[in-house]
Amino acid sequence: MEHARRGYVVDEALTPGTGAVEWFSTGRRDGPQAEGGRAISAPGAARKDILRYVPKNGVPFHDDAPDAGKDRNICCPTALRSVLVPSTRLTVFPAFLKVADAVALVVGGGPEAAAKVRLLGETSARVRLVALDPCPELAALVASGAVEHVARPFVPQDVEDAVLVFAASGDPAADGAVAAAARARRVPVNAVDQPALCDFYTPALVNRAPVAVAIGTTGAGPVLAQRLRAAIEIMLPARLGALAALAASFRSSADAVLPKGRARRRFWSAFFDGPVAAAALAGRPDE
C-alpha cells in the first residue's frame, strides 16, 4: 500500500509490537487536523505528512530521515502494518435485538442519558430512566409519558427486568457500578465512553421503520459513523418504510401461491422494481 511504497524506515532488530506508531502532519492546514495529528512547524510552513514507528527506546524511525530511501520499497514492521492494514474481521456481531414492550433501562440524568433515551425513542421499547434530578430534556420526556421515571439513585435491583442497560451518568465510577450490576445479572450493558465496560455499542441509526440501517465503527470513529448515516439518509427514500410495510402486508399470500426459490425471488424483484412500489414511494399507495 501507499505508506509502504513511500519507504518508511524500520529497525529490523526491533521486536514486532514493542513500539508505537505516530501519524501527524507538519505545517498549517485549512481544515481540521487528521485523527492523531499535531502541527509541529512554524506557521506558513509547507504541509508534510509523516508516519513514524517509535520503538520503546524512544528513537523514532520515520520517512523524514536522511536514509529513508524514498525510492525504495521497504516493508513495514508488524507493529506498523497492524495499523496500516487493519483486520478484516469484526470484533462484534451485528444483530437486531427485539425490544418491543421490553424494558430498556437508562441510568443518568444528563446529556449522555438524554442521547441514549433519544435513540431508544426510535424503538417501541419501554424506556425507564433512573435519575434523581433529570435534565430539562429528560424531564420533558417524563412529563409527556414517553419515559418511565424512577426518581432516586440507582440500586442493583433496577436491572433485573431490563433487556438492555445504559450506564450514562457521566460519572465513571457510578457507571462502572451500573455495568457491574448488569453483568452480574447477565443483562447486556453499554457504558458511555467506557468501551471496556460495554457488551454492545450503539450504532448511528437510519430509521425507515420497519427498515433500519445501523452503522457502527465499534467505537473507533463515531464521527465517521455519523457521516455515513447522513449519506445513507440522503440515499434512502423517505417512504421506504411504507413500501416495506406494504410488501409485508401480502407476503403470506404471495408465499402461499409461489413456490420457494427462483419464482418467489423473481416476483419480489419485479414488485420492488414495478409501478406499485414506485407509487408507494411517491406517496400514492392507492394506485
Side-chain angles (χ1 to χ4, degrees):
M1 56 190 298
E2 180 184 357
H3 294 116
R5 290 199 302 270
R6 287 179 59 186
Y8 294 101
V9 174
V10 303
D11 184 346
E12 300 296 345
L14 292 175
T15 302
T18 60
V21 173
E22 293 184 355
W23 187 6
F24 57 90
S25 294
T26 66
R28 297 179 63 182
R29 65 199 73 188
D30 296 328
Q33 293 183 5
E35 184 173 347
R38 56 188 174 92
I40 62 170
S41 63
R47 174 175 174 173
K48 183 168 186 178
D49 293 326
I50 296 176
L51 181 70
R52 66 183 183 180
Y53 178 70
V54 183
K56 279 192 173 181
N57 63 15
V59 180
F61 296 85
H62 56 82
D63 71 342
D64 206 30
D67 59 347
K70 304 294 184 180
D71 57 345
R72 290 186 293 145
N73 184 4
I74 301 177
C75 294
C76 300
T78 302
L80 187 56
R81 185 173 295 279
S82 67
V83 174
L84 297 179
V85 188
S87 172
T88 58
R89 292 181 179 269
L90 293 170
T91 59
V92 296
F93 180 76
F96 288 93
L97 182 67
K98 293 182 178 180
V99 296
D101 300 320
V103 173
L105 182 70
V106 179
V107 181
E112 298 90 349
K116 300 305 181 185
V117 169
R118 284 195 300 272
L119 183 63
L120 288 167
E122 301 278 352
T123 76
S124 54
R126 289 173 51 200
V127 182
R128 181 177 298 162
L129 176 71
V130 176
L132 192 59
D133 185 23
C135 67
E137 180 183 356
L138 289 172
L141 290 170
V142 170
S144 72
V147 175
E148 301 175 14
H149 183 207
V150 180
R152 57 162 171 74
F154 170 82
V155 295
Q157 291 75 18
D158 287 331
V159 308
E160 289 183 352
D161 63 342
V163 296
L164 289 174
V165 174
F166 293 89
S169 71
D171 181 333
D175 288 345
V178 174
R183 286 180 166 179
R185 291 160 176 79
R186 299 184 182 276
V187 181
V189 63
N190 174 277
V192 175
D193 293 333
Q194 298 192 73
L197 299 182
C198 292
D199 296 321
F200 65 94
Y201 297 104
T202 52
L205 179 65
V206 179
N207 183 1
R208 300 288 190 273
V211 177
V213 180
I215 306 102
T217 62
T218 60
V223 173
L224 174 60
Q226 291 298 329
R227 289 173 65 90
L228 291 171
R229 183 195 64 78
I232 294 171
E233 282 277 10
I234 296 171
M235 292 170 54
L236 297 184
R239 295 184 176 87
L240 182 63
L243 173 60
L246 176 63
S249 69
F250 61 87
R251 178 177 175 180
S252 59
S253 298
D255 289 351
V257 298
L258 294 169
K260 289 183 180 180
R262 181 178 299 178
R264 193 176 294 181
R265 289 194 299 270
R266 288 178 61 184
F267 167 78
W268 284 115
S269 293
F271 168 80
F272 287 118
D273 289 336
V276 174
L281 292 176
R284 303 188 303 273
D286 295 331
E287 291 187 8

